[in-house]
Amino acid sequence: MSAELIRTRGARGGLTLAAHKERSTARPIALAAPPEQVVLALDQHIGEPAEPLVRPGDTVLCGQPIAAASPRGGAWLHASVSGRVRALEMRPAPHRPDGALSIIIDNDGRDARAEPQPVAFEELHPLELCE
């Protein structure tokens, strides 16, 4: 048994492991560099894959919808960076052995945000709100 493993006293079946905080507390927190490119799979969960709203060459903004939920169920997908859509292509995905159709965005580094589109929900019919 490792010398780093410490048995707890008085606890039934439990172990207390050495914290190993030396590396994480030795330096201040630093910002991670933004990625040069993001790959966003259209197949985000157990539902149907989203339907792309963008094409290669399109410019996108952070938060902009780039894929709509399928009518048969699924999730909307929004751009996590601003930049230009490089491609829509199959890329490896952990839940799909053959890969998943993905939107590839080249980050322009500007972090430009999409303006929110307010909705006058008071004027919508209840069935429209459900949609």
Side-chain angles (χ1 to χ4, degrees):
M1 191 173 283
S2 170
E4 297 172 1
L5 187 64
I6 304 166
R7 290 198 181 278
T8 60
R9 294 184 187 163
R12 297 181 73 163
L15 296 175
T16 301
L17 302 177
H20 297 290
K21 297 280 186 178
E22 299 81 22
R23 287 177 56 196
S24 64
T25 59
R27 288 185 267 163
I29 294 173
L31 293 175
E36 291 181 21
Q37 188 179 78
V38 295
V39 178
L40 303 167
L42 295 179
D43 189 357
Q44 288 288 306
H45 76 319
I46 199 165
E48 295 288 320
E51 298 173 3
L53 300 173
V54 295
R55 297 180 310 228
D58 287 354
T59 299
V60 297
L61 302 171
C62 291
Q64 175 183 331
I66 57 174
S70 165
R72 296 173 303 282
W76 281 76
L77 186 62
H78 298 77
S80 56
V81 298
S82 61
R84 187 168 306 278
V85 176
R86 174 180 288 272
L88 272 73
E89 61 189 31
M90 297 298 287
R91 288 291 183 99
H95 59 290
R96 299 267 185 203
D98 55 343
L101 185 61
S102 301
I103 298 173
I104 293 82
I105 302 173
D106 289 331
N107 188 356
D108 62 12
R110 295 184 310 121
D111 202 28
R113 305 260 169 200
E115 290 295 322
Q117 301 297 316
V119 175
F121 65 90
E122 303 91 350
E123 299 172 12
L124 296 175
H125 188 275
L127 291 176
E128 291 177 293
L129 289 172
C130 289
E131 287 294 318

